[in-house]
Structure formats: C-alpha cells, structure tokens
Amino acid sequence: MTDGVGVAGIYVRDQDEALAFYVGKLGFVVHTDAKNGDFRWLTVQHPDQPGFQLGLFRPGPPMIDKDTADTLDAVVAKGAMPPLVLTVDDCRAAYERFSAKGVEFTQEPVSRFGSVDASFRDPSDNGWKLVEAR
C-alpha cells in the first residue's frame, strides 16, 4: 500500500529529552532528524511499524507564531492533549519492560473491556495508553 497517513506528530517541550525517551525507553528508532534554521524535523518509528512515523515537534515558527507556541507548551504541560495508544501483545510484560527502563506509569495494568491497559506520560506530559491487542 502506498496511500495512507505516514506521519502524525505530537508537541514536545524538549526534542532531545523526547528522543531519549522514545528511543532509549520505548525502543523506537530515529527515522529523520534534520534541522532547517531553528526548525528541527524529528520523527521516530516503532520497529514493528516501519510505514509510520511519529513526529516529535516543538511548537513554533514557521508552523505557528510564538504566542500560540507558548500556549501549546502550557497545554501540553497540563497533559491536556489527546491520549495516544501504543498496542502491545502483552500489556503486563510491556509494563514490566518499560518500567525497568524508567518509564513512569500513571496507571498499572488493568483488565477491562476484554483487554488489558496501562497508562504513562512522556517527559512532555503527553498521555499514552498501553493497550494489549485483542
């Protein structure tokens, strides 16, 4: 398939910190890390999903003005952005694996709705649900 969504992004407060988290703790790999002036295009991929890139972007010009960027930084810091979902084969095993790497969970694995899920936040306070695939 060649059509489809290839990149979706989230706002992060510090791209180096986000890179260390997504690569060092969650096991993502860097797809693109390129600068153009003050703008840095940084995307990572889950190793089992090479056709999709997660953008780790700083809000700011040229996409938006500085006032809007400051507002977005504040919104992200409050954990108010929509949650992201990372599916795994075994939620409890992934919880143990990520916890051992320093991921701080806000919810331990819970069985519900016919699956198991847990919650964590990245260093910018983006919320993630870790959901066991059914």
Side-chain angles (χ1 to χ4, degrees), residues 54-75:
L54 177 65
L56 306 173
F57 302 123
R58 286 282 309 130
M63 310 291 249
I64 54 176
D65 62 68
K66 181 175 179 343
D67 288 342
T68 303
D70 291 344
T71 299
L72 285 170
D73 268 342
V75 170

Side-chain angles (χ1 to χ4, degrees), residues 32-81:
T32 304
D33 188 356
K35 288 191 82 172
N36 183 5
D38 292 334
F39 182 76
R40 182 179 179 190
W41 181 266
L42 175 61
T43 65
V44 294
Q45 292 178 308
H46 189 278
D48 293 337
Q49 197 174 19
F52 179 78
Q53 299 171 50
L54 177 65
L56 306 173
F57 302 123
R58 286 282 309 130
M63 310 291 249
I64 54 176
D65 62 68
K66 181 175 179 343
D67 288 342
T68 303
D70 291 344
T71 299
L72 285 170
D73 268 342
V75 170
V76 170
K78 291 180 179 180
M81 300 303 281

Side-chain angles (χ1 to χ4, degrees), residues 86-92 94 97-98 130-134:
L86 180 62
T87 56
V88 293
D89 290 334
D90 183 331
C91 184
R92 287 182 173 85
R97 187 174 64 248
F98 292 154
L130 187 65
V131 177
E132 191 167 291
R134 291 191 260 176

